[in-house]
Amino acid sequence: MKKKDILLKFQSNNNKLETVLYKKKLAGDVKNLLLSMLYNITNSYGDYANIKVNVENKNQYIEKIIGIIEKCHNIEIVSPNSEEGKKILEENMHCMVDTYFKTIKVFGAERDMLYALFKMNDTKMYLDEKYNLLRVAIPEMLNEGRDINNIEIIRDFNAWSWNTVSKDISNIDCNLIYQNLLMLLGFDFLESWMQQENQKEQLEKLEQELKKQYNSKNIQELLDYICRLSIIVCIERNKNEKKRLIDEKEWDEKELQRMQDKNALVEELTKTKKEKQKEIGKLDEIINNEDLLKKEFEERNKNLAEYKKIYSVENLLGTLKRERNKALNEIEECNKLLDAKSYVKRKEELEENLKLLKEIKTPKNKEKYKIKIQKLFIKCLEQNIEKIEAPEQKKQAIALLRMVRYYNFVLFDENIYIKDIGELREDLDSLEGKILLKLFEIKALNPITKDLETDVGITKPILSTRIVELENVNLQVKKQENKIEIKVYDGNILELEFRIENLNGVELKGKKKVKLFAK
């Protein structure tokens, strides 16, 4: 974007923010920080969107930020040496946010301010009780991933460079999985899915959407590994959830063991049904007889402490009806287990639960699962390449190339990017080769030699650079005996130089300097 256009955009957004800030009693340093933050976002967003591809519409993003600021009652910049600052540092937070009173206390950094504003927005994902084992783990992972993603524009971009520092990312695992889903599904779907009000079939909806776009077998396996990883990541951070899942595991193990001996189970369930039917008969007799109801009222209160006493016969009647419903539910559960299909389904559910819950005792599987997820993710991206067939899809193909290049620089672990993982190198080479080959075939990239495979080999190293504008890339090539020397320029600045083998004597196209992208 031209400097003049950036300035006009900034003035428009700046005027909106100034109008909001004018009405607020905020300190001058807070207003200045907010204005500076918005300027840098406006200035960097073009590069950010160009590199990452899967981003929110720029105007929507900025309007969202201004809307959050408008709702804030107070924002205060605190010193690291203040009482609030020390608490923020002790708890390893970016800020202190009170979503009820709409107040923020934050250090004087744009990144922390942006993080605090999105925390204030409080649009968290939740899962229904139906997903008992995952209802904390999956939302924690994806909510944290989204929080990290929301501040990437300020954290990693500054209008002329792109840099990712692991210490600035609060949880690398959460970010990795969020970025995987973001690249597979796009911003609009993922954001709307995470904010759905009806959460009852939420994971099924995610699975359906992924299967609509990608190979079903890969998706089932991908989601299974994401669920396992989410539990490991969750129990590393959340001691209460770890304890709850340990209790669930013990209960499921006992229940599965109970179901192994079918004869004993049938005998037990039949006995329970008879006892509960007898209990319901007794309760019905009391509920429908006023004298028996009064007698029950006196009998129950006789042995209860004063603060636990039943206050009236009407209250007792409500209690008896609830006891009756509970007994009916227990009979229904017995009937389900006595039914062959229901028995098999319940047994399978317990076995699946225990597969997930074994991660509590084997967190060492974390890296293995991360690798598995990435391999399956790469297979999905390859399917997107296969869908590109015509030159008319050039824009889509170039966007996919940018996505692959961005993916190379997603952090896999502390200070280790995806591109540096040896176990993924073969998969990444295949992915990069396929997208580059496709781009040459549909004439989106300019040919360099008279051999497609050689052209792919020449251009592949560019995907391991952080050149902001790939459109500015020029290649200078020179043939020397059995090698080809390549110099990669970002405009007129030399970014990279290397050699590749040319044992087959492939001829150059004739031009010494070639622009990467075709017009």
Side-chain angles (χ1 to χ4, degrees), residues 2-21:
K2 293 178 181 177
K3 191 173 181 180
K4 184 181 176 183
D5 295 331
I6 291 171
L7 188 60
L8 288 171
K9 283 281 184 183
F10 169 65
Q11 286 172 343
S12 173
N13 293 324
N14 195 48
N15 290 339
K16 290 177 186 176
L17 180 56
E18 281 188 338
T19 302
V20 170
L21 294 177

PDB file of all heavy atoms in Angstrom, residues 2-21:
ATOM      1  N   LYS A   2       0.493   2.256  -0.811  1.00  0.00           N
ATOM      2  CA  LYS A   2       1.267   3.483  -0.872  1.00  0.00           C
ATOM      3  C   LYS A   2       1.168   4.247   0.446  1.00  0.00           C
ATOM      4  O   LYS A   2       0.178   4.152   1.171  1.00  0.00           O
ATOM      5  CB  LYS A   2       0.750   4.363  -2.014  1.00  0.00           C
ATOM      6  CG  LYS A   2       0.990   3.761  -3.401  1.00  0.00           C
ATOM      7  CD  LYS A   2       0.412   4.655  -4.464  1.00  0.00           C
ATOM      8  CE  LYS A   2       0.612   4.057  -5.841  1.00  0.00           C
ATOM      9  NZ  LYS A   2      -0.008   4.881  -6.890  1.00  0.00           N
ATOM     10  N   LYS A   3       2.238   5.041   0.703  1.00  0.00           N
ATOM     11  CA  LYS A   3       2.309   5.804   1.956  1.00  0.00           C
ATOM     12  C   LYS A   3       1.096   6.719   2.110  1.00  0.00           C
ATOM     13  O   LYS A   3       0.527   6.862   3.197  1.00  0.00           O
ATOM     14  CB  LYS A   3       3.599   6.616   1.982  1.00  0.00           C
ATOM     15  CG  LYS A   3       3.901   7.235   3.321  1.00  0.00           C
ATOM     16  CD  LYS A   3       5.265   7.883   3.317  1.00  0.00           C
ATOM     17  CE  LYS A   3       5.560   8.482   4.691  1.00  0.00           C
ATOM     18  NZ  LYS A   3       6.885   9.122   4.728  1.00  0.00           N
ATOM     19  N   LYS A   4       0.666   7.338   0.995  1.00  0.00           N
ATOM     20  CA  LYS A   4      -0.485   8.242   1.018  1.00  0.00           C
ATOM     21  C   LYS A   4      -1.761   7.501   1.428  1.00  0.00           C
ATOM     22  O   LYS A   4      -2.569   7.987   2.228  1.00  0.00           O
ATOM     23  CB  LYS A   4      -0.662   8.877  -0.368  1.00  0.00           C
ATOM     24  CG  LYS A   4      -1.781   9.910  -0.426  1.00  0.00           C
ATOM     25  CD  LYS A   4      -1.906  10.478  -1.821  1.00  0.00           C
ATOM     26  CE  LYS A   4      -3.085  11.451  -1.902  1.00  0.00           C
ATOM     27  NZ  LYS A   4      -3.277  11.969  -3.270  1.00  0.00           N
ATOM     28  N   ASP A   5      -1.949   6.286   0.872  1.00  0.00           N
ATOM     29  CA  ASP A   5      -3.137   5.480   1.198  1.00  0.00           C
ATOM     30  C   ASP A   5      -3.135   5.052   2.658  1.00  0.00           C
ATOM     31  O   ASP A   5      -4.170   5.055   3.319  1.00  0.00           O
ATOM     32  CB  ASP A   5      -3.204   4.242   0.297  1.00  0.00           C
ATOM     33  CG  ASP A   5      -3.406   4.607  -1.159  1.00  0.00           C
ATOM     34  OD1 ASP A   5      -4.007   5.657  -1.411  1.00  0.00           O
ATOM     35  OD2 ASP A   5      -2.964   3.830  -2.026  1.00  0.00           O
ATOM     36  N   ILE A   6      -1.952   4.662   3.152  1.00  0.00           N
ATOM     37  CA  ILE A   6      -1.822   4.263   4.565  1.00  0.00           C
ATOM     38  C   ILE A   6      -2.206   5.425   5.468  1.00  0.00           C
ATOM     39  O   ILE A   6      -2.932   5.266   6.459  1.00  0.00           O
ATOM     40  CB  ILE A   6      -0.382   3.800   4.874  1.00  0.00           C
ATOM     41  CG1 ILE A   6      -0.094   2.478   4.155  1.00  0.00           C
ATOM     42  CG2 ILE A   6      -0.173   3.628   6.367  1.00  0.00           C
ATOM     43  CD1 ILE A   6       1.349   2.042   4.223  1.00  0.00           C
ATOM     44  N   LEU A   7      -1.732   6.628   5.099  1.00  0.00           N
ATOM     45  CA  LEU A   7      -2.000   7.820   5.906  1.00  0.00           C
ATOM     46  C   LEU A   7      -3.488   8.125   5.943  1.00  0.00           C
ATOM     47  O   LEU A   7      -4.050   8.431   7.002  1.00  0.00           O
ATOM     48  CB  LEU A   7      -1.218   9.008   5.336  1.00  0.00           C
ATOM     49  CG  LEU A   7      -1.239  10.294   6.163  1.00  0.00           C
ATOM     50  CD1 LEU A   7      -0.642  10.043   7.543  1.00  0.00           C
ATOM     51  CD2 LEU A   7      -0.479  11.401   5.454  1.00  0.00           C
ATOM     52  N   LEU A   8      -4.153   8.000   4.772  1.00  0.00           N
ATOM     53  CA  LEU A   8      -5.593   8.265   4.720  1.00  0.00           C
ATOM     54  C   LEU A   8      -6.371   7.269   5.568  1.00  0.00           C
ATOM     55  O   LEU A   8      -7.302   7.624   6.284  1.00  0.00           O
ATOM     56  CB  LEU A   8      -6.081   8.206   3.266  1.00  0.00           C
ATOM     57  CG  LEU A   8      -5.666   9.384   2.363  1.00  0.00           C
ATOM     58  CD1 LEU A   8      -6.032   9.094   0.926  1.00  0.00           C
ATOM     59  CD2 LEU A   8      -6.340  10.677   2.833  1.00  0.00           C
ATOM     60  N   LYS A   9      -5.974   5.983   5.469  1.00  0.00           N
ATOM     61  CA  LYS A   9      -6.621   4.933   6.268  1.00  0.00           C
ATOM     62  C   LYS A   9      -6.433   5.212   7.750  1.00  0.00           C
ATOM     63  O   LYS A   9      -7.342   5.076   8.566  1.00  0.00           O
ATOM     64  CB  LYS A   9      -6.033   3.559   5.921  1.00  0.00           C
ATOM     65  CG  LYS A   9      -6.534   2.981   4.615  1.00  0.00           C
ATOM     66  CD  LYS A   9      -7.902   2.376   4.790  1.00  0.00           C
ATOM     67  CE  LYS A   9      -8.370   1.704   3.515  1.00  0.00           C
ATOM     68  NZ  LYS A   9      -9.741   1.182   3.669  1.00  0.00           N
ATOM     69  N   PHE A  10      -5.201   5.575   8.108  1.00  0.00           N
ATOM     70  CA  PHE A  10      -4.912   5.838   9.512  1.00  0.00           C
ATOM     71  C   PHE A  10      -5.725   7.018  10.024  1.00  0.00           C
ATOM     72  O   PHE A  10      -6.283   6.980  11.118  1.00  0.00           O
ATOM     73  CB  PHE A  10      -3.418   6.104   9.722  1.00  0.00           C
ATOM     74  CG  PHE A  10      -3.102   6.641  11.094  1.00  0.00           C
ATOM     75  CD1 PHE A  10      -3.319   5.859  12.211  1.00  0.00           C
ATOM     76  CD2 PHE A  10      -2.643   7.936  11.260  1.00  0.00           C
ATOM     77  CE1 PHE A  10      -3.063   6.341  13.482  1.00  0.00           C
ATOM     78  CE2 PHE A  10      -2.391   8.425  12.530  1.00  0.00           C
ATOM     79  CZ  PHE A  10      -2.599   7.631  13.637  1.00  0.00           C
ATOM     80  N   GLN A  11      -5.815   8.099   9.207  1.00  0.00           N
ATOM     81  CA  GLN A  11      -6.564   9.277   9.631  1.00  0.00           C
ATOM     82  C   GLN A  11      -8.025   8.932   9.886  1.00  0.00           C
ATOM     83  O   GLN A  11      -8.632   9.415  10.848  1.00  0.00           O
ATOM     84  CB  GLN A  11      -6.443  10.371   8.560  1.00  0.00           C
ATOM     85  CG  GLN A  11      -5.069  11.030   8.545  1.00  0.00           C
ATOM     86  CD  GLN A  11      -4.894  11.972   7.361  1.00  0.00           C
ATOM     87  OE1 GLN A  11      -5.646  11.906   6.387  1.00  0.00           O
ATOM     88  NE2 GLN A  11      -3.885  12.835   7.439  1.00  0.00           N
ATOM     89  N   SER A  12      -8.600   8.081   9.020  1.00  0.00           N
ATOM     90  CA  SER A  12      -9.992   7.672   9.180  1.00  0.00           C
ATOM     91  C   SER A  12     -10.189   6.890  10.482  1.00  0.00           C
ATOM     92  O   SER A  12     -11.084   7.195  11.276  1.00  0.00           O
ATOM     93  CB  SER A  12     -10.409   6.813   7.990  1.00  0.00           C
ATOM     94  OG  SER A  12     -11.684   6.272   8.198  1.00  0.00           O
ATOM     95  N   ASN A  13      -9.333   5.878  10.703  1.00  0.00           N
ATOM     96  CA  ASN A  13      -9.429   5.077  11.928  1.00  0.00           C
ATOM     97  C   ASN A  13      -9.087   5.916  13.156  1.00  0.00           C
ATOM     98  O   ASN A  13      -9.700   5.766  14.212  1.00  0.00           O
ATOM     99  CB  ASN A  13      -8.470   3.881  11.848  1.00  0.00           C
ATOM    100  CG  ASN A  13      -8.895   2.889  10.787  1.00  0.00           C
ATOM    101  OD1 ASN A  13     -10.071   2.671  10.583  1.00  0.00           O
ATOM    102  ND2 ASN A  13      -7.922   2.310  10.099  1.00  0.00           N
ATOM    103  N   ASN A  14      -8.087   6.788  12.993  1.00  0.00           N
ATOM    104  CA  ASN A  14      -7.646   7.636  14.096  1.00  0.00           C
ATOM    105  C   ASN A  14      -8.771   8.563  14.536  1.00  0.00           C
ATOM    106  O   ASN A  14      -8.981   8.780  15.736  1.00  0.00           O
ATOM    107  CB  ASN A  14      -6.422   8.445  13.638  1.00  0.00           C
ATOM    108  CG  ASN A  14      -5.689   9.078  14.800  1.00  0.00           C
ATOM    109  OD1 ASN A  14      -5.425   8.410  15.781  1.00  0.00           O
ATOM    110  ND2 ASN A  14      -5.390  10.351  14.678  1.00  0.00           N
ATOM    111  N   ASN A  15      -9.506   9.113  13.564  1.00  0.00           N
ATOM    112  CA  ASN A  15     -10.620  10.012  13.886  1.00  0.00           C
ATOM    113  C   ASN A  15     -11.695   9.283  14.684  1.00  0.00           C
ATOM    114  O   ASN A  15     -12.260   9.832  15.635  1.00  0.00           O
ATOM    115  CB  ASN A  15     -11.227  10.592  12.609  1.00  0.00           C
ATOM    116  CG  ASN A  15     -10.284  11.576  11.931  1.00  0.00           C
ATOM    117  OD1 ASN A  15      -9.379  12.113  12.571  1.00  0.00           O
ATOM    118  ND2 ASN A  15     -10.477  11.799  10.632  1.00  0.00           N
ATOM    119  N   LYS A  16     -11.984   8.021  14.282  1.00  0.00           N
ATOM    120  CA  LYS A  16     -12.983   7.230  15.014  1.00  0.00           C
ATOM    121  C   LYS A  16     -12.537   6.997  16.446  1.00  0.00           C
ATOM    122  O   LYS A  16     -13.316   7.129  17.391  1.00  0.00           O
ATOM    123  CB  LYS A  16     -13.205   5.884  14.322  1.00  0.00           C
ATOM    124  CG  LYS A  16     -13.923   5.971  12.998  1.00  0.00           C
ATOM    125  CD  LYS A  16     -14.041   4.596  12.349  1.00  0.00           C
ATOM    126  CE  LYS A  16     -14.620   4.687  10.951  1.00  0.00           C
ATOM    127  NZ  LYS A  16     -14.641   3.368  10.278  1.00  0.00           N
ATOM    128  N   LEU A  17     -11.264   6.607  16.606  1.00  0.00           N
ATOM    129  CA  LEU A  17     -10.751   6.340  17.945  1.00  0.00           C
ATOM    130  C   LEU A  17     -10.685   7.622  18.772  1.00  0.00           C
ATOM    131  O   LEU A  17     -11.032   7.616  19.961  1.00  0.00           O
ATOM    132  CB  LEU A  17      -9.361   5.698  17.855  1.00  0.00           C
ATOM    133  CG  LEU A  17      -8.692   5.349  19.183  1.00  0.00           C
ATOM    134  CD1 LEU A  17      -9.591   4.438  20.022  1.00  0.00           C
ATOM    135  CD2 LEU A  17      -7.346   4.676  18.965  1.00  0.00           C
ATOM    136  N   GLU A  18     -10.270   8.726  18.154  1.00  0.00           N
ATOM    137  CA  GLU A  18     -10.193   9.998  18.887  1.00  0.00           C
ATOM    138  C   GLU A  18     -11.570  10.426  19.387  1.00  0.00           C
ATOM    139  O   GLU A  18     -11.708  10.956  20.482  1.00  0.00           O
ATOM    140  CB  GLU A  18      -9.591  11.082  17.995  1.00  0.00           C
ATOM    141  CG  GLU A  18      -8.072  10.997  17.904  1.00  0.00           C
ATOM    142  CD  GLU A  18      -7.466  12.188  17.186  1.00  0.00           C
ATOM    143  OE1 GLU A  18      -8.195  12.838  16.410  1.00  0.00           O
ATOM    144  OE2 GLU A  18      -6.277  12.455  17.404  1.00  0.00           O
ATOM    145  N   THR A  19     -12.593  10.160  18.567  1.00  0.00           N
ATOM    146  CA  THR A  19     -13.971  10.490  18.967  1.00  0.00           C
ATOM    147  C   THR A  19     -14.371   9.688  20.204  1.00  0.00           C
ATOM    148  O   THR A  19     -14.988  10.217  21.140  1.00  0.00           O
ATOM    149  CB  THR A  19     -14.957  10.192  17.816  1.00  0.00           C
ATOM    150  OG1 THR A  19     -14.570  10.933  16.669  1.00  0.00           O
ATOM    151  CG2 THR A  19     -16.373  10.549  18.194  1.00  0.00           C
ATOM    152  N   VAL A  20     -13.999   8.396  20.217  1.00  0.00           N
ATOM    153  CA  VAL A  20     -14.291   7.540  21.376  1.00  0.00           C
ATOM    154  C   VAL A  20     -13.497   7.999  22.595  1.00  0.00           C
ATOM    155  O   VAL A  20     -14.037   8.124  23.701  1.00  0.00           O
ATOM    156  CB  VAL A  20     -13.962   6.059  21.041  1.00  0.00           C
ATOM    157  CG1 VAL A  20     -14.011   5.199  22.301  1.00  0.00           C
ATOM    158  CG2 VAL A  20     -14.933   5.521  20.006  1.00  0.00           C
ATOM    159  N   LEU A  21     -12.213   8.285  22.400  1.00  0.00           N
ATOM    160  CA  LEU A  21     -11.338   8.667  23.525  1.00  0.00           C
ATOM    161  C   LEU A  21     -11.712  10.024  24.110  1.00  0.00           C
ATOM    162  O   LEU A  21     -11.516  10.271  25.307  1.00  0.00           O
ATOM    163  CB  LEU A  21      -9.874   8.681  23.080  1.00  0.00           C
ATOM    164  CG  LEU A  21      -9.267   7.320  22.697  1.00  0.00           C
ATOM    165  CD1 LEU A  21      -7.826   7.490  22.216  1.00  0.00           C
ATOM    166  CD2 LEU A  21      -9.311   6.349  23.874  1.00  0.00           C
TER     167      LEU A  21
END
